């Protein structure tokens, strides 16, 4: 396994797939020699040395690695650099090309905290962003750590290693640290990002007289340290090459041997560091093979063509040279690509022409040939862009299709851009990828092109690693590969390689603070620990510990079951395995048909949960998500704040077993009608029952409906009891005025094709409008037409049920219903400008009476504040109404709303009946509403309404007469009680209280008179006004 000897971490698949080309035994017999020195650790750099000098040394000797010791409380002392010095080193490192090799050595409290809590936050937030790619665990007494006091050290360390896979973790291997390193040395499959440093001196720098210990046979990377310096390093490397490290790639580390006393102060000696580097260069970083030992590498696959042209080798050498400026690099890449493409096009299919006329006469068809294939050039952005121009010179009629892919820190390829036309596949596609390392990205590109329908595929690459070459050939043996050279080893920064080809082409050094504008200090300010990532007290960290695992046999069983036989699965084996979140990747958007996303199958309106599939909308399964948006709508913003403040562990999975419904609702026939319910998930309250096999597989499926019960206490109910309008029965209504209810909270889940059909528009028009009016918040509305579900950032609804919920679907049982739209000012605070609270409490009273008669009462409370225009807009309308010329007039009631908002109402009741279908409603005996829009929407949905009940006139507040009069005059149902409101004279006579331009409290509080008239008629209103006067 070649990657076992690499400093960087490749994808897990590269470690688990056996290959005879990737075994350490092969490395031992290659032409690399008997041992390779992968890097040289120069440790203990500190404020005593200028960072510019380190940069000069590091760019001259690319295998030199500078070790920085981090020990809290020791900053600024010899061997422990100050905060500012570390920042300066990180800056100069990022600007170097390639960046300097940096390793962080954890000591003292920093390491003790990591071993105690298993919390890698400090490393993730403070070390990794500065460019450190290796972290050494110095768990010895000399480094301020007593390993015997850390009972769970190995468990916590393994958890950290697993979580922070973007760095290589180095464990000091000596007698003190046996508990840490021995399990790793004995493991058959040690973590890919772990290495051992054999240092018998336990970090004190004494020379080691004992023989160097043998390296484990499980492929784990190893290094050696202990008393090394300019005078001993050559003997050490010779002994290792002839002994235990023969045939392996190792590194050497040294610290004390690089120190000197300067003016009585312990200092890092640059002269000694340079001497060590010179000595090793003279000895050879790559050991020479002994005579007779060299075994040629395995032969290249038959579909691989490696050019042996000396000019190409010459130009590739110039490309490798780190001093080559970007302009020359681009020019050389074009030249190499042109010649490589010339060789790659040798087998283009041609056809004969019989219409070619030369100056001397007709050209015979066998000599008049032209390319007969349609050719596409597919550069893998961004590195592949530099190869396009040269290939277009060869094939000017070829089309260019850009493909954007990046590889995450764990090696997973993610597509971020694709412009492959759906119905125009080519005969031959050339994939342009200048360098192939693990082949993960280019393999994904080839797979994408195969799915597109390309007839043949060829890969053009300037340089390939042997590991990547064989991996690509193994996955795609039908693809031809053309390259200039093959590197025999794959290393973390592609060494020797070419560096980052994209950065070198476009002059953007990887990790440069100038280009990233992201810089995190490695040290905390005083008192900042609680505010920063990785800080906080142990108590705070304890709050972030997940309470339950997301999958496995320990999943809680639902306490109640409401779906019956419909929850049974005939075949759960077809559920695909869940793909985990890639923590290092943040995708701006995704595209349908792109490589990577594979949404869970969703058949909206299917008869059972098994046939339909779950709504998957969490971050845990980004590629398998089948919905746009986030759970909890606008409240997802607060979840983000909880995560960023470390109040919530983003990996937390809820416990659902005891959250199941308290009452049986459904299933009903309309649940299987894709057109009847388009704004909510009918199975949203029974996730742990209906989608149990998915949860057991490890999917994070969240409920969108919760059904519970409560006792409601309203002053209006107590007043109705006192006046005798209500009677306590001890079941529905208690003597103290409490009523018992079943209630359900519902979050919206929109099926976009169904919502579009309700509005009589195309799905594409709906998607475009949603995208534009949310200021481009949800690009997947346009890029993912395969995702048909949308979780809009709007409020949901709450259903309150008095009486038995299971009787709702029985048409023979009386059912009273009110559909109420939120009005915070009236419903909660009792504002008298509208009828909302009086009508709501009247409906509750009627529901209680119905339940006491053996029926069921239902109030559906929608979060549609201010006619779904919002509370701010509503208050603006109030001000306009009260200040307009002539005062607050019923005749101008709707006009004022339109003047402010541009529309009078955006509640769109056409979507409202879905919740009634979810409840199983087919017939409403008493509908407590005067709204014709609500009535017509319900009837149009196939639900019968027997009687409409208006609000009693005596319950209408005096300032709400404007509203009720305007609504009845506009066509709202008013019954006999409001016949007078249909008269134009009544409309003109009704006035509400007015506002002046006064803003002082003394004047403003005295305003409010001037209301006249009543919705019951002008005469009655005048009489009522005189009586009040």
């Amino acid at each position: 396994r070649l990657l076992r000897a690499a400093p960087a971490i490749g994808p897990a698949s590269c470690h688990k797939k056996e290959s005879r080309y990737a075994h350490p035994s092969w490395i031992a017999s290659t032409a690399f020699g008997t041992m390779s020195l992968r890097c040289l650790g120069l440790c203990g750099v500190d404020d005593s040395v200028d960072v510019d000098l380190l940069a000069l040394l590091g760019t001259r000797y690319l295998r030199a690695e500078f070790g920085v010791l981090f020990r809290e409380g020791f900053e600024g002392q010899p061997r422990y650099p100050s905060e500012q010095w570390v920042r300066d080193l990180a800056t100069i490192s990022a600007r170097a090309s390639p960046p300097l090799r940096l390793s962080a050595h954890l000591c003292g409290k920093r390491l003790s905290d990591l071993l105690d809590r298993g919390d890698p936050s400090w490393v993730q937030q403070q070390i990794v962003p500065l460019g450190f790619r290796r972290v050494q665990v110095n768990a010895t007494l000399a480094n301020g750590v007593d390993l015997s006091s850390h009972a769970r050290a190995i468990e916590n360390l393994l958890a950290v290693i697993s979580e922070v896979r973007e760095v290589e973790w180095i464990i000091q291997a000596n007698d003190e640290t046996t508990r840490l390193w021995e399990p790793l040395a004995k493991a058959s499959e040690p973590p890919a990002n772990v290495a051992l440093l054999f240092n018998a001196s336990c970090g004190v720098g004494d020379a080691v007289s004992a023989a160097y210990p043998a390296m484990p046979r499980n492929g784990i990377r190893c290094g050696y340290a202990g008393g090394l310096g300019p005078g001993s390093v050559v003997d050490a490397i010779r002994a290792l090459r002839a002994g235990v490290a023969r045939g392996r790639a190792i590194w050497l580390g040294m610290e004390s041997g690089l120190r000197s006393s300067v003016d009585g102060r312990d200092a890092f000696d640059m002269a000694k560091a340079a001497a060590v580097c010179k000595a090793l260069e003279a000895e050879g970083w790559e050991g020479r093979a002994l005579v007779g030992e060299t075994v040629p590498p395995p032969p290249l696959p038959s579909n691989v063509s490696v050019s042996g042209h000396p000019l190409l080798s010459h130009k590739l050498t110039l490309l490798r040279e780190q001093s080559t400026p970007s302009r020359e690099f681009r020019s050389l890449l074009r030249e190499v690509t042109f010649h490589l493409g010339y060789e790659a096009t040798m087998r283009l299919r041609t056809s004969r022409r019989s219409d070619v006329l030369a100056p001397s006469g007709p050209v015979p068809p066998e000599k008049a040939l032209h390319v007969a294939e349609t050719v596409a050039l597919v550069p893998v952005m961004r590195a592949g862009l530099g190869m396009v121009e040269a290939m277009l010179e060869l094939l000017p009629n070829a089309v260019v299709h850009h493909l954007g892919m990046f590889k995450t820190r764990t090696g997973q390829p993610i597509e971020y851009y694709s412009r492959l036309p759906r119905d125009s596949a080519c005969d031959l596609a050339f994939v342009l990828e200048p360098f192939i390392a693990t082949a993960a990205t280019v393999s994904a590109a080839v797979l994408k092109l195969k799915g597109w329908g390309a007839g043949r595929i060829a890969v053009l690459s300037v340089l390939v690693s042997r590991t990547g070459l064989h991996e690509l050939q193994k996955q795609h043996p039908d693809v031809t590969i053309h390259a200039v050279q093959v590197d025999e080893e794959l290393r973390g920064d592609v060494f020797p390689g070419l560096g980052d080809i994209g950065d070198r082409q476009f002059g953007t050094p990887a990790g440069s603070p100038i280009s990233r504008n992201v810089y995190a200090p490695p040290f905390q300010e005083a008192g900042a620990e609680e505010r920063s990532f990785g800080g906080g007290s142990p108590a705070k960290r304890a709050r972030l510990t997940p309470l339950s695992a997301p999958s496995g046999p320990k999943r809680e069983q639902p306490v109640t079951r409401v779906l019956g036989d419909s929850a049974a699965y005939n075949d759960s084996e077809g559920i695909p395995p869940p793909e985990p979140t890639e923590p290092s990747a943040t995708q701006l958007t995704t595209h349908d048909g792109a490589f990577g996303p594979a949404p869970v199958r969703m058949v909206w309106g299917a008869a059972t949960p098994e046939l339909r599939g779950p709504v998957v909308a969490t971050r845990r399964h980004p590629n398998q998500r089948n919905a746009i948006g986030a759970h909890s709508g606008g409240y997802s913003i607060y979840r983000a704040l909880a995560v960023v403040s470390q109040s919530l562990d983003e990996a937390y999975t809820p416990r659902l077993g005891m959250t199941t419904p308290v009452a049986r609702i459904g299933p009903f026939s309309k649940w299987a009608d894709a057109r009847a319910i388009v704004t909510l998930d009918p199975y949203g309250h029974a996730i742990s029952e209906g989608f149990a096999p998915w949860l057991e597989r490890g999917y994070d499926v969240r409920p969108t409906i919760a059904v519970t019960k409560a006792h409601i206490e309203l002053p209006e109910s107590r007043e109705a009891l006192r006046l005798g309008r209500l009677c306590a029965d001890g079941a529905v209504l208690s003597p103290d005025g409490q009523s018992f209810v079943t209630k359900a909270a519902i979050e919206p889940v929109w099926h976009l094709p169904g919502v579009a059909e309700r509005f009589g528009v195309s799905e594409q028009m709906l998607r475009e409008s949603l995208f534009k009016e949310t200021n481009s918040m949800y690009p997947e509305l346009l890029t993912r037409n395969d995702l048909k579900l949308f979780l809009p950032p709007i409020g949901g609804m709450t259903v309150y049920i008095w009486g038995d919920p299971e009787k709702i679907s029985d048409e023979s049982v009386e059912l009273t219903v009110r559909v109420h739209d939120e009005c915070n000012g009236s419903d909660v605070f009792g504002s008298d400008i509208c009828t909302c609270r009086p009508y709501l409490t009247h409906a509750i009273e009627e529901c209680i009476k119905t339940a006491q008669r053996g029926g069921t009462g239902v109030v559906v409370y929608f979060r549609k504040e201010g006619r779904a225009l919002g509370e701010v807009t509503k208050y603006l309308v109030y001000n306009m109404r009260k200040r307009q010329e002539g005062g607050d007039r019923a005749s101008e009631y709707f006009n004022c709303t339109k003047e402010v908002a541009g529309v009078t109402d955006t509640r769109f009741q056409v979507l409202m009946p879905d919740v009634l279908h979810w409840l199983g409603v087919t017939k409403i005996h008493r509908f407590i509403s005067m709204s014709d829009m609500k009535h017509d929407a319900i009837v149009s949905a196939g639900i019968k309404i027997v009687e409409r009940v208006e609000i009693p006139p005596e319950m209408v507040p005096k300032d709400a007469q404007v509203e009720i009069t305007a609504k009845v005059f506009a066509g709202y149902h008013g019954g006999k009680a409001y016949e007078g409101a249909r008269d134009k004279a009544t409309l003109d006579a009704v006035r509400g209280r007015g506002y002046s331009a006064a803003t002082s409290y003394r004047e403003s509080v005295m305003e409010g008179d001037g209301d006249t008239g009543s919705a019951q008629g002008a005469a009655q209103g005048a009489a009522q006004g005189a009586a009040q006067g």
Side-chain angles (χ1 to χ4, degrees), residues 727-786:
C727 298
D729 62 352
V732 178
L733 185 66
S734 67
D736 58 357
Q738 285 191 341
S739 61
F740 173 78
V741 296
T742 303
K743 60 181 182 179
I746 303 175
E747 293 178 2
V749 178
W750 285 11
H751 183 238
L752 291 173
V755 173
E757 185 180 24
R758 294 274 182 94
F759 284 91
V761 299
S762 68
E763 181 186 344
Q764 189 61 31
M765 290 176 63
L766 173 65
R767 286 174 176 266
E768 290 178 3
S769 183
L770 291 170
F771 174 74
K772 292 175 182 177
E773 295 305 319
T774 55
N775 277 341
S776 310
M777 283 175 58
Y778 299 97
E780 288 178 327
L781 286 167
L782 302 184
T783 64
R784 292 295 300 276
N785 286 316
D786 60 325

Side-chain angles (χ1 to χ4, degrees), residues 145 190 423-424 462 522 660 826 834 952 1000:
V145 178
D423 303 317
S424 302
V462 175
T660 52
S826 176
C834 60
S1000 69

Side-chain angles (χ1 to χ4, degrees), residues 39 50 317 723 817 921 986 991:
C39 75
D50 192 322
T317 300
L723 296 175
V817 172
V921 175
T986 301
R991 297 282 195 278

Side-chain angles (χ1 to χ4, degrees), residues 24 35 62 68 80 160 249 350 355 522 655 688 706 820 936 975:
M35 189 197 78
L62 296 181
V68 179
Y80 302 97
V160 168
T350 60
D355 58 346
R655 296 169 55 181
S688 59
H820 188 91
D936 295 347

Side-chain angles (χ1 to χ4, degrees), residues 5 20 39 68 92 141 223 255 332 366 370 397 426 430 449 481 564 631 690 760 785 938 970 982 985:
R20 66 187 181 95
C39 75
V68 179
I92 200 71
L141 292 173
E255 180 182 335
L332 286 167
E366 64 272 13
H370 72 104
N397 294 323
C426 61
F430 285 106
L449 293 174
I481 305 165
H631 284 293
N785 286 316
I938 292 172
R982 302 190 185 282

Side-chain angles (χ1 to χ4, degrees), residues 191-372:
N193 58 329
V194 168
L196 301 181
L197 176 65
F198 290 104
N199 184 359
S201 73
C202 299
V204 298
D206 294 339
V208 180
S209 58
Y212 290 110
M215 299 172 65
R217 301 179 63 84
N218 58 2
I220 196 169
R221 292 182 289 272
C222 294
Y224 292 88
L228 297 179
S232 60
V233 68
V234 172
D235 291 338
I237 196 171
R238 289 176 178 175
L240 287 165
R241 278 182 171 153
V244 295
R246 179 179 178 140
R248 303 293 292 273
I250 66 166
W251 84 94
L252 296 180
M254 59 193 71
E255 180 182 335
S256 297
L258 303 176
R259 311 298 297 186
S260 293
S261 179
V262 179
D263 296 330
R265 181 178 174 84
D266 183 23
F268 183 87
D269 193 329
M270 279 294 298
K272 289 184 177 180
V276 170
C277 292
K278 289 178 181 178
L280 287 178
E281 185 167 75
E283 185 68 18
W285 301 93
E286 303 286 356
R288 301 177 182 84
L290 301 178
V291 177
E293 277 197 355
T294 300
V295 177
L300 295 174
S302 59
N303 61 339
V304 176
S305 174
V306 176
S307 175
H309 202 291
L311 283 179
L312 287 182
S313 297
H314 168 75
K315 293 180 184 297
L316 178 55
T317 300
L318 296 178
L319 281 172
R320 290 185 190 268
E321 174 59 52
Q322 67 167 341
S323 62
T324 301
S326 295
R327 183 175 66 178
E328 292 182 22
F329 190 94
R330 292 192 297 269
S331 178
L332 286 167
L333 181 60
R334 283 195 297 271
E335 293 177 31
V336 171
T337 301
F338 184 88
H339 294 290
L340 186 64
Y342 184 79
E343 295 181 2
T345 53
M346 286 182 60
R347 290 181 174 78
L348 278 175
R349 295 170 184 166
T350 60
S351 62
R352 298 182 177 184
R353 290 180 55 185
S354 57
D355 58 346
V356 179
L357 187 63
S360 59
V363 179
E366 64 272 13
K367 295 187 177 181
L369 305 177
H370 72 104
V371 176

Side-chain angles (χ1 to χ4, degrees), residues 378 402-405 415 417-420 441-454 457 476 591-597:
V378 186
H402 297 88
L403 191 60
M405 284 192 172
E415 178 186 315
Y417 184 82
S418 173
R419 295 293 290 174
L420 297 177
T441 302
V442 72
S443 292
V446 169
L447 191 62
K448 173 83 175 181
L449 293 174
K450 287 182 176 180
W452 176 49
I457 300 173
H476 303 285
H591 300 264
D592 55 357
F595 181 86

